[in-house]
């Protein structure tokens, strides 16, 4: 398969996670392995290249026991180390106004300097402002290298540029193209190389010395130019595909919002296609939110909302958990329902605390039962929604701990399943305003009880719950379908990538040839 065919099939795997980004990675992988452009038909006569290859052939190497270079390269390429192909440009302490380039000056998504750079007076110079660069130098941030803060210095700056010591400065020798080196430094193969040497956890970094010893594949200069031109062309194509994808997603999002609004205006079975239209699938999370909100507003199953204004407290009282002392906690016994156990919709027991049978018996009035609702009062909102759960038989037995509340109906005309719908709807979630106690967001049961609440007749509550369950089943099926579609697209993308990286330019399968140097260890110059 040709790479152009791969791009032509983009629509088939556009739904794969990070499809365009993976295409960019593939382009670089093919480029640095010598699989992107056909090799030169004649030997490259560039004087610096000829002299370098002669020096390489006569040089005596020692080898460290490290892993071999990450892949094999064409016969006419050379495996080198960075110190053999690029040099620093020196350092100086600022003695005049200067243009300062630090890590924040890099647009790491595009791999270039931002248009607006800081100019700094000598008196305000940061202590890191020391390194020099020239047009053509590649600057590589050695702190958190996985962020790929890498760029080529394209021009002279006025005032002159000084670079932060957070960068290694790599000025290529005459037989190395700056942008070929730049693309190698941004490749996944080099990122894996650096990961071996990076030290530190919060801010991993590689030293300039270790960086200079990292390997780099070097084609002849004329081939480097053709590789760079081809990569630039394909990256521009990736940019266009990404823009088209974003435009399509924006258009679909607008259609999705319109369809949600249209269904909200007339939430009838006849209008369900507005929610589940295959051409502009609404995100399942938005569907669930909309369905719950419409349900408690009386728009799924209509009910009479006229009458006296009521609050949650007219129908619900809350039982708060007991403040069990931490010294009572045991490795086994009766489980305690703590706020960290309350997830969105269910209880999560991966971190459990227990009390012994004697304590459990003394506080059995705090025992939970099947079907109870528990609401976390601390950190009530998480990424997936509200921390409110329904207790199942599998969760029992357990006791209610403080900062977790159990709603208890004051009469038999309230269905707890309906109240659970209301708690998860935007009618509740958008109404609560968590305060903070010792930096922890929290709500109180009094705050919940003061909120307005419309209670339909019991029969209508049950019809609403049934309708919501029916629609949620459709959303679950849609989510499964979307996941399967993305998985299929991802598998197709992986298969195409594997096919491309295992073929030569004429489409015939091949095993990459060995470099003429025959080196398999990491080359190091003998002292």
């Amino acid at each position: 398969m040709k790479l152009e065919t791969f791009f032509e099939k983009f629509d088939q795997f556009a739904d794969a996670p990070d499809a365009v980004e993976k295409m960019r990675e593939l382009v670089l992988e093919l480029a640095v392995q010598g699989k992107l452009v056909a090799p030169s038909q004649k030997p490259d006569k560039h004087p610096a290249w000829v002299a370098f290859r002669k020096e390489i052939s006569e040089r005596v190497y020692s080898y460290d026991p490290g892993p071999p270079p990450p892949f094999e390269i064409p016969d006419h390429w050379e495996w080198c180390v960075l110190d053999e192909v690029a040099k620093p440009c020196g350092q100086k302490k600022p003695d005049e106004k200067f243009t300062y380039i630090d890590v924040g000056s890099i647009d790491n998504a595009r791999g270039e300097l931002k248009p607006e750079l800081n100019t700094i007076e000598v008196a305000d110079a940061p202590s890191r402002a020391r390194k020099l660069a020239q047009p053509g130098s590649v600057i590589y941030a050695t702190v958190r290298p996985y962020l790929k803060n890498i760029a080529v210095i394209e021009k002279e700056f006025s005032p002159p540029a000084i670079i932060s010591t957070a960068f290694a400065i790599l000025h290529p020798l005459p037989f190395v193209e700056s942008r070929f080196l730049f693309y190698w430094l941004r490749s996944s193969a080099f990122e894996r190389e650096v990961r071996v040497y990076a030290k530190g956890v919060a801010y991993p970094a590689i030293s300039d010395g270790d960086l200079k010893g990292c390997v780099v594949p070097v084609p002849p200069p004329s081939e480097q130019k053709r590789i760079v031109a081809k990569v630039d062309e394909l990256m521009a194509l990736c940019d266009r595909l990404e823009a088209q994808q974003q435009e399509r997603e924006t258009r679909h999002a607008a259609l999705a919002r319109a369809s949600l609004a249209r269904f909200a205006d007339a939430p009838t079975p006849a209008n369900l296609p507005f929610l589940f239209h295959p051409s502009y699938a609404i995100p399942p999370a938005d569907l669930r939110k909309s369905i719950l909100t419409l349900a408690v507003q009386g728009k799924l199953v209509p009910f009479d909302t006229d009458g006296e204004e009521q609050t949650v407290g007219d129908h619900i009282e809350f039982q708060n958990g007991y403040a069990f002392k931490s010294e009572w906690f045991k490795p086994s016994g009766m489980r305690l329902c703590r706020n960290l156990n309350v997830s969105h919709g269910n209880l999560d027991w991966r971190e459990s605390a227990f009390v012994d049978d004697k304590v459990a018996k003394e506080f059995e009035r705090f025992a939970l039962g099947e079907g109870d609702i528990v609401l976390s009062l601390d950190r009530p909102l998480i990424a997936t929604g509200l921390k409110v759960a329904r207790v199942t038989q599998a969760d029992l037995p357990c006791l209610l701990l403080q900062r977790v509340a159990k709603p208890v109906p004051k009469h038999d005309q309230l269905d707890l399943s309906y109240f659970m719908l209301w708690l998860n709807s935007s009618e509740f979630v958008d109404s609560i305003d968590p305060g903070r106690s010792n930096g922890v967001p929290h709500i109180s049961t009094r705050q919940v009880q003061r909120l307005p609440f419309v209670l339909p007749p019991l029969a209508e509550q049950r019809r609403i719950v049934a309708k919501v369950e029916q629609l949620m089943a459709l959303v679950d099926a849609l989510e499964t379908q979307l996941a399967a579609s993305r998985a299929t697209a991802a598998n197709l993308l992986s298969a195409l990538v594997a096919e491309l990286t295992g073929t030569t330019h004429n489409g015939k399968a091949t095993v990459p040839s060995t470099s003429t140097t025959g080196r398999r260890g990491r080359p190091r110059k003998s002292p």
Side-chain angles (χ1 to χ4, degrees):
M1 178 195 295
K2 294 181 179 180
L3 188 61
E4 288 75 8
T5 306
F6 177 78
F7 277 89
E8 290 168 4
K9 295 189 175 188
F10 176 74
D11 285 343
Q12 298 179 29
F13 54 80
D15 288 336
D18 302 319
V20 174
E21 189 56 37
K22 288 180 180 177
M23 292 173 72
R24 292 190 179 103
E25 291 175 4
L26 173 64
V27 169
L28 290 186
E29 183 177 353
L30 296 173
V32 300
Q33 291 185 23
K35 298 178 180 179
L36 192 60
V37 302
S40 304
Q41 297 301 311
K42 298 179 180 178
D44 196 308
K45 299 298 185 181
H46 190 291
W49 173 249
V50 173
F52 178 73
R53 293 204 82 188
K54 183 174 186 296
E55 180 188 352
I56 285 280
S57 66
E58 296 173 349
R59 190 178 297 170
V60 177
Y61 281 85
S62 62
Y63 302 92
D64 69 16
F71 47 81
E72 294 183 331
I73 55 176
D75 289 341
H76 58 292
W77 289 31
E78 293 286 353
W79 272 118
C80 305
V81 293
L82 280 172
D83 193 40
E84 293 175 311
V85 299
K87 301 295 181 182
C89 296
Q91 299 189 31
K92 79 167 188 177
K93 186 176 180 180
D95 54 11
E96 60 180 339
K97 186 176 181 180
F98 63 97
T99 300
Y100 186 44
I101 297 176
D102 61 2
V103 174
S105 306
I106 306 290
D107 178 346
N108 61 356
R110 301 185 63 83
E112 58 188 34
L113 292 175
K114 294 177 180 177
E116 299 296 329
L117 300 176
N118 293 327
T119 56
I120 298 180
E121 300 291 344
V122 174
D124 300 320
S127 59
R128 278 183 168 271
R130 289 290 184 273
K131 291 193 173 182
L132 301 176
Q134 303 172 25
S137 297
V138 183
I139 60 174
Y140 179 93
T142 54
V143 179
R144 293 199 286 183
Y146 56 85
L147 294 178
K148 297 185 179 180
N149 285 304
I150 312 165
V152 179
I153 302 296
E154 303 281 3
K155 62 178 184 178
E156 293 278 4
F157 289 92
S158 180
I162 293 186
I163 318 296
S164 167
T165 54
F167 288 96
I169 311 301
L170 302 167
H171 192 77
L173 297 184
F175 57 88
V176 178
E177 287 289 318
S178 297
R179 289 196 65 79
F180 179 84
L181 180 58
F182 165 79
Y183 282 135
W184 167 245
L185 297 176
R186 286 183 67 87
S187 71
S188 297
F190 187 74
E191 183 182 358
R192 290 190 294 270
E193 167 100 352
V194 168
R195 203 178 299 148
V196 174
Y197 296 99
K199 297 177 176 63
V201 178
Y203 294 93
I206 181 171
S207 69
D208 284 11
D210 282 338
L211 186 70
K212 289 192 297 184
C214 289
V215 295
V216 51
V218 184
S222 59
E223 193 166 332
Q224 290 179 46
K225 291 180 184 293
R226 290 188 293 111
I227 290 171
V228 167
K230 189 65 175 177
V231 171
D232 288 344
E233 173 193 337
L234 294 176
M235 289 301 181
L237 178 55
C238 285
D239 290 344
R240 292 199 297 273
L241 289 173
E242 187 172 53
Q244 291 171 10
Q245 193 175 39
Q246 290 172 349
E247 181 183 356
R248 181 174 56 193
E249 289 172 356
T250 300
R251 187 167 59 250
H252 284 187
L255 288 169
R257 287 193 300 271
S259 65
L260 275 174
R262 192 151 179 193
F263 181 76
D265 290 339
T268 64
N271 286 335
L272 274 177
F274 289 124
L275 288 186
F276 299 99
H277 198 288
S279 298
Y280 43 87
I282 301 170
D286 291 346
L287 277 176
R288 292 188 178 97
K289 181 179 179 181
S290 179
I291 289 167
L292 289 172
T293 301
L294 292 171
V296 300
Q297 288 177 348
K299 294 182 178 180
L300 283 185
V301 177
F303 59 82
D304 185 7
T305 60
D306 294 334
E308 184 180 350
E309 185 174 321
Q310 297 173 320
T311 65
V312 172
D314 292 324
H315 306 284
I316 289 285
E317 59 186 3
F318 284 93
Q319 179 185 7
N320 287 294
Y322 186 76
F324 292 92
K325 297 178 182 179
S326 59
E327 55 262 33
W328 294 353
F329 291 2
K330 304 292 182 184
S332 62
M334 177 72 79
R335 197 155 47 184
L336 298 177
C337 179
R338 301 180 289 170
N339 58 66
L340 63 81
N341 300 125
V342 183
S343 187
H344 178 57
N346 62 281
L347 292 172
D348 182 346
W349 298 110
R350 284 176 292 183
E351 294 185 42
S352 296
F354 304 85
V355 293
D356 61 29
D357 292 340
K358 180 180 178 182
V359 173
K361 186 171 181 59
E362 182 180 352
F363 294 97
E364 61 184 1
R365 64 188 181 280
F366 293 97
L368 292 170
E370 184 178 5
D372 284 344
I373 294 173
V374 287
L375 172 65
S376 175
L377 302 178
D378 287 343
R379 296 186 177 91
L381 298 174
I382 53 177
T384 51
L386 184 72
K387 289 178 63 176
V388 60
R390 201 77 188 264
V391 178
T392 68
Q393 185 62 43
D395 298 317
L396 302 176
C398 61
L399 300 175
L400 195 64
L401 191 71
Q402 67 174 346
R403 305 306 301 153
V404 181
K406 180 181 82 170
V408 181
K410 289 183 174 181
H411 52 73
D412 60 4
Q413 294 303 300
L414 174 62
D415 188 321
L416 273 177
S417 295
Y418 177 79
F419 189 65
M420 183 74 167
L421 296 185
W422 182 83
L423 285 172
N424 279 296
S425 75
S426 59
E427 290 289 297
F428 173 64
V429 174
D430 293 349
S431 298
I432 60 171
D433 183 17
R436 287 186 175 270
S437 176
N438 296 324
V440 177
H442 72 282
I443 58 176
S444 68
T445 54
R446 286 186 179 181
Q447 182 182 0
V448 177
Q449 286 182 304
R450 288 194 296 265
L451 293 176
F453 180 73
V454 177
L455 183 66
L458 185 60
E460 299 301 331
Q461 294 175 50
R462 290 171 177 166
R463 286 178 58 202
I464 291 168
V465 169
K467 174 58 72 173
V468 168
E469 289 176 349
Q470 175 190 5
L471 293 176
M472 290 302 184
L474 290 175
V475 176
D476 291 343
L478 174 64
E479 191 167 40
T480 300
Q481 179 183 343
L482 290 173
S485 175
R486 292 189 185 103
T488 299
N491 290 337
L492 174 61
L493 177 57
S494 296
L496 291 172
V497 168
E499 183 179 348
L500 274 168
T501 54
T503 59
T504 58
H505 309 287
N506 60 10
K508 296 180 180 179
T510 184
V511 176
S513 56
T514 303
S515 169
T516 52
T517 61
R519 297 199 291 269
R520 285 294 180 271
R522 292 188 181 278
R524 295 289 186 270
K525 285 186 279 191
S526 295

